[in-house]
């Protein structure tokens, strides 16, 4: 629900996450400011779906033995990773499922990079994430800051991380894959798709 230009509206969006809800309010406000009917603009948001690399959800594997992958492989910043972790926390789990975060370096943060990566440990603990895998030298700071129980594996590249990730997954898990585009996290999504195929 939102109030846009004095008009109260109740609507649904086809995307999951608080950040998408906030973006939808901005989109409706822009539509209203441009003179478009806000109700029609809100109706259009219901059909919106997440794109590959930007939150698409994939159910992989045979019925009863699926793993859900949240593909956030296109980009990463401290704010975007924190939002993705919150979405992972909200994911519905099968009875024996776990929440697993697979995170690649957030690039182009300059001198604040190591501290920004390590600070994500608090988000992961608060979100009750069960296992964390990291790729890249900056994410090593996060891995070292994690409680030992949450440490899955770490590697320099996403390709090097794949064997440990594959070996750890089990039916019912929900897996978030996120990192800067330069970290090549998308091939992890593709490899899991191919293995399930």
């Amino acid at each position: 629900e939102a109030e846009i230009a004095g008009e109260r509206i109740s609507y649904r969006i086809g995307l999951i996450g608080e950040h998408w809800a906030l973006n939808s309010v901005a989109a409706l406000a822009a539509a209203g400011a441009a003179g478009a009917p806000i109700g029609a603009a809100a109706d259009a948001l219901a059909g919106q779906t997440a794109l590959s690399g930007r939150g698409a959800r994939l159910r992989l594997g045979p019925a009863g033995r699926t793993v859900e992958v949240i593909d956030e492989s296109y980009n990463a910043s401290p704010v975007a990773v924190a939002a993705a972790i919150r979405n992972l926390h909200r994911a519905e789990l099968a009875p024996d499922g776990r929440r697993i975060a697979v995170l690649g370096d957030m690039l182009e943060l300059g001198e604040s990079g190591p501290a920004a990566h390590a600070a994500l440990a608090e988000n992961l603990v608060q979100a009750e994430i069960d296992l964390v895998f990291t790729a890249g030298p900056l994410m090593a700071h996060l891995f070292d800051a994690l409680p030992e129980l949450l440490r899955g594996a770490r590697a320099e590249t996403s390709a090097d991380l794949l064997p440990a990730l594959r070996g750890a997954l089990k039916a019912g898990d929900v897996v978030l894959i996120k990192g800067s585009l330069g970290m090549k996290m998308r091939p992890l999504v593709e490899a899991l798709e191919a293995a399930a195929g």
Side-chain angles (χ1 to χ4, degrees):
E1 287 189 21
E3 187 173 315
I4 311 289
E7 182 180 341
R8 189 144 190 88
I9 187 164
S10 180
Y11 62 101
R12 298 183 71 79
I13 59 174
L15 300 163
I16 297 172
E18 180 181 326
H19 60 295
W20 288 115
L22 293 173
N23 288 344
S24 76
V25 172
L28 293 177
I38 294 172
D43 290 344
L45 291 175
Q48 196 173 22
T49 57
L51 301 173
S52 173
R54 302 259 189 193
R57 290 180 178 241
L58 311 166
R59 289 202 174 272
L60 307 176
R65 296 194 37 79
T66 60
V67 170
E68 182 177 357
V69 175
I70 303 170
D71 177 11
E72 285 273 359
S73 60
Y74 185 76
N75 69 354
S77 69
V79 171
V81 174
I85 291 168
R86 286 192 301 273
N87 283 346
L88 179 57
H89 172 72
R90 292 183 189 110
E92 289 187 34
L93 292 178
D96 293 325
R98 300 168 298 168
R99 292 177 179 92
I100 298 175
V102 183
L103 304 173
D105 284 354
M106 301 179 290
L107 302 175
E108 301 168 0
L109 296 180
E111 292 179 8
S112 68
H117 285 75
L120 292 172
E122 185 176 336
N123 298 84
L124 291 157
V125 170
Q126 287 178 351
E128 301 173 331
I129 304 308
D130 296 296
L131 209 51
V132 180
F133 292 80
T134 64
L138 288 168
M139 276 298 173
H141 297 279
L142 166 62
F143 195 86
D144 292 342
L146 288 169
E148 195 166 331
L149 191 62
L150 270 63
R151 295 178 186 171
R154 74 175 173 195
E156 285 297 305
T157 68
S158 61
D160 293 338
L161 192 60
L162 181 59
L165 177 60
R166 269 192 188 145
L169 293 182
K170 62 181 188 175
D173 288 344
V174 179
V175 184
L176 164 69
I177 298 178
K178 188 159 184 68
S180 287
L181 187 60
M183 287 304 297
K184 298 182 171 91
M185 302 301 283
R186 175 74 186 154
L188 288 176
V189 176
E190 293 167 351
L192 294 178
E193 281 185 287

